[in-house]
Amino acid sequence: MAERCAWCGTDPIYVAYHDTEWGVPERDPRALWEKLVLDGFQAGLSWITILKKRENFRAAFEGFHPETVARWGEADVARLLADSGIVRSRAKIEATIGNARAYLEIAEREGFDHFLWRYVDGAPIQNRFRTMADVPASTALSERISKDLKKARFRFCGPTITYAFMQAVGLVNDHIITCPAHDRVARLG
């Protein structure tokens, strides 16, 4: 019998995210940046917390358009710190503004999507883990991408956050092999 990845539990929002988004190869640069930002906000929190606030984040960050966010200053930081619909962390908010600027530099140079997808030669890594216990929290590749993101002046992108991001955007397929989504996502690669 097929068994869904256990991490999503039974919460309908989490199950829908698992079944329709997690692990699906994302190639839109803006969407990739949004997911990296949200994974950074998740640091120290559970993903379900961020997922339930995602629409609030999208409204507060004006659709996660890096060109807009990169121009923000202290007044915008203050506005976001007063927004109870998001995670109100000055460090994470300021990092997001800086990360928008870093994104734009990469986008101009080579494209953010190309920057990320080149680490896997354009095709998702197809893992075949049998249990959630087999799935690593980080890998040598997530450490390398994290280091390169930091070199590009990104923040809140350590190896563990980067690996969670890689899983979310389909750079790796970490659905366990008994999960109905594993083969479906593998075919999308």
Side-chain angles (χ1 to χ4, degrees), residues 30-100:
R30 194 223 46 86
L32 287 164
W33 184 70
E34 174 183 335
K35 287 185 178 186
L36 183 59
V37 168
L38 290 175
D39 273 315
F41 269 97
Q42 186 256 325
L45 304 169
S46 66
W47 178 246
I48 190 71
T49 299
I50 302 304
L51 197 55
K52 287 181 176 179
K53 293 177 177 273
R54 182 164 59 172
E55 291 309 315
N56 296 334
F57 272 103
R58 285 177 173 159
F61 283 90
E62 298 184 27
F64 284 104
H65 294 285
E67 300 82 1
T68 301
V69 176
R71 293 190 305 266
W72 287 358
E74 186 54 41
D76 298 290
V77 172
R79 173 181 56 81
L80 293 167
L81 286 171
D83 188 334
S84 62
I86 66 168
V87 174
R88 296 180 288 182
S89 162
R90 176 176 284 279
K92 292 175 182 180
I93 291 167
E94 289 175 345
T96 299
I97 295 168
N99 290 353

Side-chain angles (χ1 to χ4, degrees), residues 84-131:
S84 62
I86 66 168
V87 174
R88 296 180 288 182
S89 162
R90 176 176 284 279
K92 292 175 182 180
I93 291 167
E94 289 175 345
T96 299
I97 295 168
N99 290 353
R101 295 170 185 152
Y103 166 94
L104 292 175
E105 290 175 14
I106 291 173
E108 185 177 317
R109 186 173 64 245
E110 64 183 298
F112 193 62
D113 52 335
H114 181 262
F115 171 81
L116 292 167
W117 280 96
R118 68 180 161 86
Y119 288 100
V120 294
D121 295 327
I125 295 169
Q126 300 296 328
N127 289 321
R128 299 197 47 81
F129 298 120
R130 295 194 172 280
T131 69

